[in-house]
Amino acid sequence: MPQYGILIFSPAPADPMALTPEHIAALERYPAQVEELGGRAVTGFAFQPSTVATAIRGDVVSDGTFHDTREVVAGFFVLEAPDLDVALRIAKLNPATRDGGVEVRPLFTPPPA
């Protein structure tokens, strides 16, 4: 089954772990919704706040993220879904779409040798 990277965005510099009870309840419902639509979360991770990030460009190491932006990547997960349409339907249900957003990207699979 095709796999998709789901990038979770949250307002910067918000702590992605400072969640409201409503957000937590929506997160608890999400796995069942994913399965109902025919998908499966393969793995996922939440990042610590962007304020503790370290960026490296060339030889320069600096505190913080690469970009000065209103939103930062708060985490990601890998989703298996029958096709992109199902992956998008699943992504739209993610609670992060309420105060941040999500981005769906098909994972690269090399062509057969």
Side-chain angles (χ1 to χ4, degrees):
M1 189 174 322
Q3 293 186 332
Y4 302 88
I6 311 295
L7 301 171
I8 308 296
F9 291 87
S10 70
D15 179 352
M17 301 316 298
L19 305 174
T20 65
E22 295 82 15
H23 194 102
I24 292 169
L27 283 174
E28 290 171 349
R29 287 190 305 272
Y30 192 60
Q33 293 173 314
V34 169
E35 287 186 27
E36 286 172 15
L37 291 173
R40 181 176 80 88
V42 176
T43 190
F45 301 92
F47 293 120
Q48 292 288 332
S50 62
T51 54
V52 299
T54 303
I56 302 168
R57 287 189 185 255
D59 294 332
V60 178
V61 178
S62 59
D63 291 337
T65 62
F66 279 127
H67 307 285
D68 184 21
T69 181
R70 295 185 331 253
E71 294 180 335
V72 296
V73 178
F76 69 95
F77 67 97
V78 175
L79 170 72
E80 285 185 342
D83 55 43
L84 180 59
D85 289 336
V86 172
L88 294 173
R89 286 177 53 206
I90 290 169
K92 284 181 182 179
L93 295 172
N94 192 292
T97 61
R98 296 179 188 154
D99 59 357
V102 300
E103 181 177 315
V104 179
R105 290 193 197 181
L107 294 185
F108 174 77
T109 53

